[in-house]
Amino acid sequence: MAKIIPIKDLRDTNKISEECHSSDEPLFVTKNGYADLVVLSNNLYEELLHQKPSSREELHFTNSNPINMSLDPEFMGFVKVGAASLNVKVGDVNHHVEEIKKYVRIAVEQGVKVLVFPELCITGYTCGDLFYNDDLLKETEAALVSLREFSKDYDVLFVVGAPLRYNGKIYNTAPIIYHGEILAVYAKRYLPHHREYYESRQFNEYHGINTTITIGDKQCLFGNRFILQNTLHYKMCIGVEICEDMWAVNTPSSEEALNGANIILNLSASNEVIGKGEFREQLISATSARLISGYIFSSCGASESTTDILFSGYKGIYENGDLLEESPYFDDGLIVSDIDIERLENERMHSSSFVNEYGVNVDVIPFRMKLNNSTLNRKISQNPFIFDETTYEKVIHMQALGLKKRLEATKTENVVVGLSGGLDSALALIVCTETMKLMNLPLTNVHAIILPAFGTSDRTLNNAINLAKEIEVTYQIVDIKNSVTSHLKDIGHDLTTQDVTYENAQARERTQVLFDMANKVHGIVVGTGDLSELCLGWTTFNADHMSNYSVNISIPKTLVKELVNYYAKNHPTCSDTLNDILLTPISPELTKEGESIDQLTEDKIGPYELNDFFIYYYLRHNYSLKKILFLAVDVFVDKYTPEFIKSCLVNFIKRFHSNQFKRSTLPDGIKISEVSVSPRGDLRLPSDMSVDTLLSELD
């Protein structure tokens, strides 16, 4: 039998300590006849802290209790989610239940698998002291039973806001409902104490351990230290928090994310005052980025009571800092998007700071949900490397700063760049001139060397000469046909077979000339090759592959075009030439039949827009080839056939891995885009790996 003592007996601390350590029971302390304190030994406290009642063990499992998990190999990682806000009639529970059912049906029609409603949406957030009313609380419980039964016919997990009684107190909660079950009830951990909110008048914060609550005739978990995991697709883990919890210093979602939750649901009642919306959206975005998670936010709207404040009805779906979808202000309804949990998993694997260093564990509640590869409700760009035009000046400035530092380190003021009349060398020349401006040096310190050979067309030759003149750099034409001819004769080449020897001899002769010219002017050779060429191996080893410093090394071809186009718009003196360079077919110009450019790069290696798409998702997000193909077919559906896209992807993978040896010996150059292939930076790969297993995924 438990022992009860009056508070005055606490004066005898030695006796109290002896009694606590000699018994397996706590001492209950009364004050003025009412229960006030519980005193127990540290050993008993530790035992109780880790104890899990049998009733809870039947309802869920913990991280230490394994359960059978599976992962559909055809699943592409996207979970369709939604956020909805209701037309509110404050206190009208039946009306709100019908509103919730309406939006559940609409969401299911759109393929939504996870749906979030606002805080206290069962009753309305602005009930005030009506929350004490016994009838309202009974109606709330009956509403949850009704929604639980309703959910049997709909394959969507949804979470609603409800006031619930537990142990004689009222809590602001979020019951999570799926397939005829209330999986758990999240109890709000932090209540707001702002001037306009009075939640602490009716509600209590919950900081206890997870326990159970009875709703209708069934028990479920009650607390705020748990996550939900889909056992059919174990990568899908869900956490919950309510409004103010997100604004706290130590947020519940932090614990949840560190224990595996990658989709956080926030039921909110966020009032609107001038300036708050922007800050709130920044906070949601930053929270999703900090947690490397998806974040679904749903707030009640203007149909709440307007006695003192107005609510925005803002709904937003975010992923790792990116806004995927949001609603207009003061708008009820539903928003839908797709969260990519595989992207989030990959980001977490690469984050050294994403570690549960404090060992905070939460309970894990299983549910079984089949996920399908449906039509995506999110924007997937055909050109993931393309930024907003406002950033292009910054990109060129970053390239120039990298080169400036290298010139200062080598104590030289001259640069040599091979100018071909193509896109890459045009951008490199632009960067060189901007570097001279940064260093207050004359543009004549830029030495553009034009190196025509067997395949050079009149168009590219003239564009190279014109660009050098218009930008006002020093230029020189060095025709290498004679020297290459002599070299080919020396090695016994017949001079008529336009094979790889014929092509590479020209490329290596150009590089030799550039390095010798750099010695002559006491400068360095600036490389022109871009990221796309490096990934595809479309560069001659120890020729255009090599330089003293490479400014385009992290710039893919699609971005090169945008940067050159941007510069043309803002520099009229060279805009005509740059525009013609932009229109010139991309070619190495190493072979020639007649007068036209017949050696077209994209005919050999595939369209650069496809290759850059592959580069981004293969290297930046480490997606499977099947997923990359799935996305490419979806976004390029109006331009290329699935068969053509697949053939280009296979070609990309073969070329990428067979040419790793070239990237292992890259010159220096800064990372600017999200992808770098520097062996000293982002990419560590063997040069002789097999791609058979990778490609078998596409069979």
Side-chain angles (χ1 to χ4, degrees):
M1 182 176 179
K3 185 170 183 180
I4 302 173
I5 62 173
I7 196 167
K8 64 182 179 63
D9 287 1
L10 289 179
R11 295 190 183 101
D12 193 347
T13 55
N14 288 332
K15 182 180 178 182
I16 296 297
S17 175
E18 184 178 325
E19 289 191 24
C20 286
H21 284 90
S22 63
S23 170
D24 290 333
E25 298 290 334
L27 295 178
F28 292 88
V29 183
T30 61
K31 182 178 181 181
N32 298 325
Y34 294 94
D36 185 55
L37 299 172
V38 179
V39 182
L40 64 163
S41 69
N42 185 66
N43 289 339
L44 180 56
Y45 170 75
E46 291 290 338
E47 181 181 336
L48 291 174
L49 188 65
H50 295 93
Q51 183 178 344
K52 293 187 168 51
S54 59
S55 61
R56 287 171 57 209
E57 289 177 348
E58 295 170 359
L59 293 166
H60 68 288
F61 64 97
T62 66
N63 292 333
S64 60
N65 296 328
I67 192 168
N68 290 332
M69 296 284 186
S70 61
L71 183 65
D72 184 351
E74 299 300 316
F75 175 54
M76 296 301 170
F78 293 102
V79 179
K80 197 173 296 296
V81 301
S85 56
L86 317 177
N87 170 259
V88 173
K89 294 181 179 180
V90 180
D92 192 338
V93 173
N94 290 332
H95 169 73
H96 299 146
V97 168
E98 293 308 310
E99 282 279 289
I100 290 168
K101 290 179 179 178
K102 177 183 75 174
Y103 282 114
V104 166
R105 294 187 187 103
I106 294 171
V108 168
E109 288 175 359
Q110 297 187 32
V112 171
K113 292 296 184 179
V114 178
L115 180 61
V116 184
F117 289 98
E119 184 176 6
L120 295 171
C121 63
I122 293 286
T123 58
Y125 179 78
T126 50
C127 288
D129 284 351
L130 188 62
F131 284 124
Y132 291 125
N133 184 270
D134 186 65
D135 288 336
L136 185 74
L137 293 171
K138 286 180 179 176
E139 288 175 6
T140 297
E141 185 174 335
L144 292 174
V145 173
S146 173
L147 289 172
R148 183 182 69 195
E149 296 306 305
F150 164 81
S151 71
K152 290 179 179 179
D153 299 325
Y154 298 94
D155 190 31
V156 57
L157 181 151
F158 61 97
V159 55
V160 296
L164 286 177
R165 282 180 289 203
Y166 175 74
N167 279 358
K169 301 291 184 180
I170 307 174
Y171 292 92
N172 183 341
T173 74
I176 301 130
I177 303 170
Y178 181 61
H179 262 318
E181 298 288 341
I182 298 177
L183 299 177
V185 175
Y186 178 92
K188 191 170 183 178
R189 191 180 301 184
Y190 299 105
L191 298 180
H193 299 283
H194 312 310
R195 288 185 294 272
E196 66 266 36
Y197 289 100
Y198 303 98
E199 273 186 52
S200 55
R201 177 179 172 90
Q202 298 95 17
F203 296 103
N204 291 265
E205 294 182 342
Y206 190 79
H207 294 282
I209 62 172
N210 294 334
T211 181
T212 57
I213 188 172
T214 301
I215 298 176
D217 58 349
K218 294 185 178 180
Q219 278 191 325
C220 61
L221 183 141
F222 179 89
N224 49 40
R225 288 180 166 85
F226 63 83
I227 63 173
L228 302 103
Q229 186 167 24
N230 184 358
T231 59
L232 287 180
H233 297 275
Y234 63 80
K235 292 182 180 180
M236 177 186 176
C237 295
I238 298 172
V240 180
E241 58 187 5
I242 301 177
C243 198
E244 186 72 14
D245 290 338
M246 181 184 70
W247 301 73
V249 174
N250 183 23
T251 66
S253 57
S254 296
E255 291 180 5
E256 294 162 355
L258 288 172
N259 281 276
N262 46 31
I263 300 176
I264 306 296
L265 318 181
N266 188 312
L267 302 81
S268 185
S270 188
N271 73 307
E272 197 60 33
V273 294
I274 299 301
K276 181 177 180 180
E278 293 82 359
F279 183 81
R280 177 182 56 235
E281 289 150 37
Q282 289 173 4
L283 179 61
I284 301 170
S285 173
T287 300
S288 73
R290 178 174 58 83
L291 301 180
I292 315 179
S293 72
Y295 203 98
I296 313 169
F297 183 93
S298 180
S299 177
C300 56
S303 53
E304 287 279 356
S305 171
T306 58
T307 301
D308 288 305
I309 52 179
L310 181 69
F311 294 89
S312 67
Y314 177 77
K315 297 169 286 294
I317 301 172
Y318 292 76
E319 179 184 287
N320 196 27
D322 297 331
L323 172 64
L324 301 182
E325 188 64 58
E326 65 179 346
S327 67
Y329 279 82
F330 314 114
D331 179 67
D332 294 333
L334 172 71
I335 62 169
V336 175
S337 189
D338 294 272
I339 290 175
D340 187 350
I341 56 177
E342 287 192 347
R343 174 197 178 196
L344 298 170
E345 181 185 51
N346 178 259
E347 292 294 323
R348 288 181 177 184
M349 285 192 298
H350 285 80
S351 173
S352 59
S353 60
F354 202 85
V355 179
N356 193 358
E357 58 186 347
Y358 299 108
V360 177
N361 290 318
V362 300
D363 291 328
V364 184
I365 302 168
F367 67 99
R368 295 173 65 81
M369 175 186 284
K370 178 67 176 176
L371 299 174
N372 302 310
N373 299 320
S374 59
T375 302
L376 296 180
N377 286 80
R378 63 182 280 163
K379 180 177 174 59
I380 304 291
S381 173
Q382 290 185 353
N383 299 293
F385 286 106
I386 301 302
F387 312 123
D388 186 277
E389 190 173 275
T390 56
T391 66
Y392 293 161
E393 187 70 33
K394 180 180 179 181
V395 171
I396 294 172
H397 187 64
M398 290 172 66
Q399 290 177 278
L401 285 173
L403 180 56
K404 173 178 178 287
K405 176 62 178 178
R406 181 51 52 99
L407 291 174
E408 291 170 343
T410 55
K411 295 180 172 55
T412 184
E413 297 181 347
N414 289 275
V415 295
V416 170
V417 59
L419 191 59
S420 68
L423 281 168
D424 293 339
S425 64
L427 179 58
L429 183 66
I430 289 167
V431 172
C432 289
T433 59
E434 293 302 309
T435 304
M436 293 301 131
K437 294 174 186 177
L438 279 177
M439 300 179 71
N440 294 315
L441 294 173
L443 296 184
T444 51
N445 284 19
V446 178
H447 300 265
I449 311 301
I450 303 167
L451 300 149
F454 306 130
T456 303
S457 67
D458 291 341
R459 182 178 185 178
T460 55
L461 178 60
N462 290 333
N463 279 338
I465 295 170
N466 292 337
L467 185 61
K469 289 179 178 178
E470 291 161 358
I471 293 185
E472 299 181 336
V473 299
T474 302
Y475 77 94
Q476 182 176 346
I477 300 173
V478 179
D479 192 318
I480 63 169
K481 288 192 286 290
N482 290 337
S483 57
V484 173
T485 298
S486 176
H487 170 66
L488 290 174
K489 287 180 178 179
D490 289 343
I491 63 172
H493 194 278
D494 62 16
L495 300 178
T496 60
T497 303
Q498 297 188 18
D499 56 7
V500 68
T501 306
Y502 180 88
E503 294 183 19
N504 287 350
Q506 298 171 70
R508 292 195 177 99
E509 179 61 25
R510 284 180 171 131
T511 301
Q512 175 176 273
V513 171
L514 292 176
F515 274 100
D516 289 343
M517 291 296 294
N519 292 153
K520 182 179 178 182
V521 301
H522 306 290
I524 65 171
V525 176
V526 173
T528 63
D530 63 51
L531 176 68
S532 305
E533 293 177 341
L534 290 169
C535 288
L536 290 157
W538 196 250
T539 178
T540 301
F541 188 76
N542 212 30
D544 49 307
H545 157 260
M546 192 49 60
S547 65
N548 293 120
Y549 192 80
S550 185
V551 294
N552 296 338
I553 202 167
S554 183
I555 309 292
K557 187 72 78 178
T558 50
L559 182 54
V560 170
K561 290 181 180 180
E562 294 296 317
L563 294 173
V564 172
N565 183 55
Y566 168 80
Y567 202 84
K569 289 180 181 178
N570 292 277
H571 295 80
T573 57
C574 58
S575 61
D576 288 345
T577 300
L578 289 176
N579 284 328
D580 194 62
I581 290 172
L582 285 162
L583 294 172
T584 303
I586 300 172
S587 170
E589 293 195 319
L590 296 171
T591 64
K592 193 172 184 179
E593 294 292 339
E595 295 302 317
S596 62
I597 300 173
D598 66 332
Q599 191 182 21
L600 301 181
T601 298
E602 290 179 294
D603 287 350
K604 295 287 187 181
I605 61 175
Y608 271 114
E609 62 178 351
L610 274 180
N611 284 310
D612 285 357
F613 187 90
F614 301 152
I615 290 167
Y616 182 80
Y617 286 106
Y618 188 61
L619 296 181
R620 175 64 184 85
H621 294 303
N622 297 110
Y623 283 168
S624 68
L625 299 191
K626 187 173 292 185
K627 183 168 182 174
I628 294 172
L629 180 60
F630 170 79
L631 292 175
V633 168
D634 183 73
V635 301
F636 289 103
V637 63
D638 296 327
K639 299 187 72 172
Y640 307 110
T641 67
E643 294 76 19
F644 178 76
I645 294 172
K646 180 179 178 180
S647 67
C648 289
L649 178 57
V650 170
N651 183 61
F652 166 76
I653 291 299
K654 289 179 177 178
R655 292 193 64 95
F656 178 81
H657 285 284
S658 65
N659 285 282
Q660 173 59 26
F661 72 97
K662 296 180 182 178
R663 295 184 293 272
S664 294
T665 54
L666 282 183
D668 294 351
I670 62 169
K671 176 180 178 179
I672 292 178
S673 72
E674 291 186 89
V675 174
S676 168
V677 292
S678 169
R680 301 167 297 277
D682 290 20
L683 190 64
R684 308 287 198 281
L685 280 177
S687 297
D688 49 8
M689 69 168 282
S690 170
V691 296
D692 292 346
T693 300
L694 285 173
L695 293 177
S696 66
E697 185 182 350
L698 296 176
D699 293 340

